[in-house]
Amino acid sequence: MIALLLLSALLWDQAAAWGFKDGVLHNSIWLGKKSFLYQQSRSGKYRLTYAEAKAVCEYEGGHLATYQQLEAARKIGFHVCAAGWMAKGRVGYPIVKAGANCGFGKTGIVDYGIRLNRSERWDAYCYNPNGKECGGVFTDSKHVFRSPGYPNEYENEQICYWHIRVRLGQRIQLHFLEFDLEEDTACLADFLEVYDSYDDVNGFVGR
């Protein structure tokens, strides 16, 4: 499995320069034309109250995801080891591949239940039924994917996540037909990152 990201959550303390839009760190996956977003305050992890999390999702044109919606995203590969608000004041996070430090050795939605204290601070899981498609999950033996609006330029602050899933032992070959990014020798303005794991740190291949 290789994940391609136009988002970096590699180092939280440096993330302000990588993948933030309007003060919120984004990670997303697509199911049809619907998007599921994990969002974190720019000031750091676990800084959003329930009201703030709702406002973040509404600002993106969606709403806090229900448990069922988050589980649907998890089933196609949405994996984030960070607890976030869901609809009705619920808190949890989706685990596809269990690890020693994430998911308590289990897969599924790690569910903290409905929180009575809505002032607790977590991240947020949003659902947008009318989002502009940018990313997806690919399981076909061959697939061509493009940035939104191609061959025109993609929008400013565009963040996309493509997840390529294959069976154990299979290899993935990436062939770039056309590749054009904003000029930036440090690759901070625009970039493509490749991961070979759900692990944002140990699975990092390169930028």
Side-chain angles (χ1 to χ4, degrees), residues 31-48:
L31 179 58
K33 296 291 183 181
K34 301 174 178 62
S35 70
F36 299 85
L37 303 168
Y38 160 69
Q39 302 188 326
Q40 177 192 110
S41 168
R42 185 168 200 154
S43 58
K45 196 173 183 181
Y46 300 156
R47 300 291 180 89
L48 300 172

Side-chain angles (χ1 to χ4, degrees), residues 43-83:
S43 58
K45 196 173 183 181
Y46 300 156
R47 300 291 180 89
L48 300 172
T49 65
Y50 178 65
E52 290 167 344
K54 283 184 67 177
V56 163
C57 293
E58 289 169 3
Y59 178 79
E60 293 293 330
H63 54 77
L64 285 169
T66 65
Y67 181 98
Q68 292 77 13
Q69 288 166 344
L70 192 60
E71 172 61 8
R74 188 199 68 81
K75 285 181 177 178
I76 61 168
F78 193 41
H79 173 102
V80 183
C81 187

Side-chain angles (χ1 to χ4, degrees), residues 117-201:
N117 181 2
R118 301 295 173 90
S119 296
E120 290 179 1
R121 294 187 179 273
W122 304 97
D123 296 331
Y125 287 99
C126 307
Y127 171 79
N128 187 349
N130 302 305
K132 185 174 181 180
E133 187 166 3
C134 177
V137 179
F138 303 137
T139 57
D140 298 338
S141 59
K142 189 174 183 179
H143 192 96
V144 176
F145 54 96
R146 307 168 179 84
S147 59
Y150 178 87
N152 298 321
E153 292 183 356
Y154 45 80
E155 295 179 6
N156 292 332
E157 308 294 342
Q158 189 80 61
I159 301 170
C160 304
Y161 175 100
W162 289 280
H163 182 174
I164 303 173
R165 302 176 68 180
V166 298
R167 294 183 180 181
L168 185 65
Q170 289 185 317
R171 292 175 178 264
I172 296 172
Q173 181 182 48
L174 302 177
H175 180 58
F176 293 92
L177 302 175
E178 185 173 348
F179 194 80
D180 184 19
L181 296 177
E182 182 178 341
E183 248 183 79
D184 177 14
T185 55
C187 288
L188 289 176
D190 291 357
F191 55 84
L192 171 74
E193 288 188 334
V194 179
Y195 291 77
D196 188 18
S197 172
Y198 288 106
D199 188 325
D200 288 339
V201 177

